Amino acid sequence: MLISVEVNGEVVTWDVDPRETLIDAIRERARLTGAHVGCRSASCGACTLSLDGLTVKSCCLLAAEADGRTIRTVEDGRTPPEVDDIQEAFIAAQGMQCGYCTPGMVMSVRHLLAQNPDPSDDEIRRGLAGNLCRCTGYVNILKAVRAVRDARLGR
């Protein structure tokens, strides 16, 4: 079936299989491989994308469900090695080890800070609750989010 989506500001048309997931379409059709396939059960958050401004677990969403909608990925118009302030903070705070969860974490942080520019530590934890990290213990991830929050607020 033909679908039309806006991906990082570019409108594209894809001929998708009705069973194709959004993460597979993003990775294979758009060649945007920042989001990862982790669990395929919406448990880990590695596949987190923004769909019409809300974070979604794209491994459990069909590509056809995105027809006519706006998708933002972790790349969001940047060409590696370009990074945004959130990604820079993750690097500076060593908020990643293996990096597998990082794109999903970054997408969740983008959404959190867009909704709440001054989150408390508890609000940061709740904002990241749908993303699992098996390496870091979250301490440096929290440091990274605090650093971005504080820098944006001029603290």
Side-chain angles (χ1 to χ4, degrees), residues 16-78:
V16 299
D17 182 297
R19 299 164 295 176
E20 186 174 349
T21 62
L22 183 56
I23 187 64
D24 290 333
I26 288 293
R27 290 180 61 84
E28 294 169 19
R29 297 176 185 284
R31 304 261 188 254
L32 296 170
T33 57
H36 295 139
V37 179
C39 63
R40 291 216 183 258
S41 64
S43 299
C44 73
C47 66
T48 302
L49 302 173
S50 172
L51 184 65
D52 292 337
L54 299 174
T55 56
V56 296
K57 307 292 179 59
S58 62
C59 69
C60 289
L61 205 76
L62 296 174
E65 293 177 275
D67 188 28
R69 300 173 80 181
T70 300
I71 300 164
R72 295 278 182 212
T73 69
V74 71
E75 295 91 347
D76 199 12
R78 289 172 201 79

Side-chain angles (χ1 to χ4, degrees), residues 47-135:
C47 66
T48 302
L49 302 173
S50 172
L51 184 65
D52 292 337
L54 299 174
T55 56
V56 296
K57 307 292 179 59
S58 62
C59 69
C60 289
L61 205 76
L62 296 174
E65 293 177 275
D67 188 28
R69 300 173 80 181
T70 300
I71 300 164
R72 295 278 182 212
T73 69
V74 71
E75 295 91 347
D76 199 12
R78 289 172 201 79
T79 303
E82 290 178 62
V83 294
D84 67 9
D85 60 338
I86 296 168
Q87 293 163 314
E88 283 183 9
F90 268 71
I91 293 165
Q94 297 181 342
M96 67 191 98
Q97 286 181 16
C98 81
Y100 203 81
C101 70
T102 306
M105 292 278 186
V106 168
M107 293 303 296
S108 292
V109 172
R110 284 180 186 166
H111 179 74
L112 170 67
L113 294 177
Q115 300 302 309
N116 179 1
D118 192 14
S120 66
D121 282 1
D122 284 341
E123 290 167 325
I124 294 169
R125 286 183 188 96
R126 279 195 299 276
L128 295 175
N131 299 82
L132 298 178
C133 177
R134 292 181 173 92
C135 300

